[in-house]
Amino acid sequence: MRLAVGCAMWTHRPWQGRFVPHPLPAGERLRAYAGWCDAVEGNTTFYATPPRETVATWAEQTDPGFRFVVKFPKIVTHERRFTGVDQEVRAFLDAVEPLGPRAHALWIQLPGSFAPSDLSVLASFLRRLPGSFRYAVEVRHPAFFDDARATGALEQVLATVGAEWVPFDTTALFGSPPTSDAERDAWTKKPRVARRSIALTDRPIVRYLGRDDTARTVEGWQPWVETVVGWLREGRSPTVFVHTPDNADAPALARRFHDEVRVRIPGLAALPDPAPVEPLTLF
């Protein structure tokens, strides 16, 4: 029985001197982050497929049980919409292969314009992917959340290949007007869809976006505590990524979420204690 928690990235300037040492060489930043969390979103691969050698260093900095949820490149999902992308997909799959068991899922994030009428293209793409990886899909078109027929059609496509549906819960963010610059920016960029809490596989993945105020973030994730407790009792192994608009406290918040679930399920193993970090000094 395991719950993994993490953030949207493994390096962030506000974390320096608080959660991770500073200065810290680039090749050690993931290792330091992994002392706080045991999962991370691989968002950088959306913009460009990294060299295989770079990905190998990610594996070297993490334990085999660490979970990467790595995003497919945007040229595949957004620019070419799965058409004529065989070369790009092969390059991406080859690049992430050094992660081995750490590649918890390869993440297909779709644009808001990807509608239920496009599902046949997604289905064809998923069927062509090798079975050596597991896959997770995030959709943002409102119809997938509001139209029962569209919901069912997507669930059927995913079930055929054993893929998971990744919900991105922004309901806490949009529950009341923004109160900071980071929240105002998030209001213009993040999807506004209904919360979805149904797992299709034994390894559900959740992306939760709170507020810059800790109390409101914690209040907003309470339904997820209940859902994750239920999943664990069913024998599932979930991964939860905690975001806030500024992400300044995200590693500590992710651990707090894990602690809240563990209160409900004492048999859940605790996260390792992170190494102490000396505060930043002027000299």
Side-chain angles (χ1 to χ4, degrees):
M1 183 167 57
R2 181 183 170 197
L3 162 65
V5 294
C7 307
M9 71 287 281
W10 65 73
T11 181
H12 190 37
R13 186 179 296 275
W15 301 350
Q16 296 175 3
R18 293 184 61 213
F19 302 121
V20 297
H22 181 74
L24 193 63
E28 293 295 320
R29 293 172 186 169
L30 175 55
R31 191 188 311 278
Y33 165 87
W36 281 85
C37 298
D38 54 358
V40 73
E41 292 182 1
N43 282 291
T44 59
T45 54
F46 180 70
Y47 301 99
T49 295
R52 183 182 170 98
E53 294 75 19
T54 297
V55 178
T57 68
W58 301 350
E60 292 166 3
Q61 294 179 65
T62 53
D63 293 332
F66 189 89
R67 296 179 179 179
F68 287 87
V69 177
V70 189
K71 193 183 294 187
F72 268 83
K74 65 179 179 179
I75 191 172
V76 174
T77 56
H78 287 57
E79 295 174 5
R80 296 189 185 170
R81 310 271 289 229
F82 306 124
T83 300
V85 294
D86 288 356
Q87 180 177 344
E88 288 77 12
V89 170
R90 282 195 297 269
F92 172 70
L93 296 178
D94 180 70
V96 301
E97 191 273 336
L99 291 177
R102 301 165 185 81
H104 187 68
L106 303 187
W107 169 21
I108 301 166
Q109 185 186 74
L110 297 170
S113 59
F114 191 92
S117 58
D118 300 310
L119 275 179
S120 61
V121 180
L122 174 64
S124 176
F125 177 74
L126 289 171
R127 287 195 298 268
R128 298 197 307 271
L129 291 174
S132 51
F133 294 100
R134 295 187 66 157
Y135 304 96
V137 175
E138 178 188 338
V139 292
R140 295 187 168 191
H141 194 288
F144 288 116
F145 302 86
D146 303 335
D147 183 334
R149 289 177 299 178
T151 301
L154 176 56
E155 289 178 343
Q156 181 60 44
V157 166
L158 299 179
T160 300
V161 295
E164 187 55 84
W165 181 335
V166 181
F168 187 19
D169 180 10
T170 61
T171 55
L173 173 69
F174 291 113
S176 59
T179 59
S180 68
D181 288 343
E183 289 185 356
R184 281 185 282 273
D185 184 61
W187 263 53
T188 67
K189 296 177 179 177
K190 302 305 181 184
R192 189 183 302 213
V193 295
R195 180 189 291 122
R196 174 187 164 83
S197 57
I198 299 172
L200 300 181
T201 72
D202 62 340
R203 298 203 288 189
I205 299 166
V206 174
R207 306 179 70 222
Y208 166 74
L209 175 59
R211 305 293 293 255
D212 287 334
D213 178 73
T214 295
R216 297 178 73 182
T217 296
V218 171
E219 179 185 12
W221 76 33
Q222 293 310 308
W224 285 114
V225 172
E226 296 295 327
T227 296
V228 168
V229 166
W231 285 342
L232 288 165
R233 288 173 175 164
E234 293 168 357
R236 304 181 198 264
S237 185
T239 304
V240 176
F241 295 109
V242 176
H243 302 227
T244 65
D246 64 12
N247 282 312
D249 299 315
L253 288 167
R255 292 179 67 90
R256 180 169 175 175
F257 181 89
H258 192 283
D259 288 343
E260 288 197 14
V261 173
R262 191 163 174 257
V263 168
R264 299 283 303 278
I265 302 186
L268 185 66
L271 294 170
D273 291 328
V277 177
E278 294 185 6
L280 292 172
T281 60
L282 295 177
F283 305 99

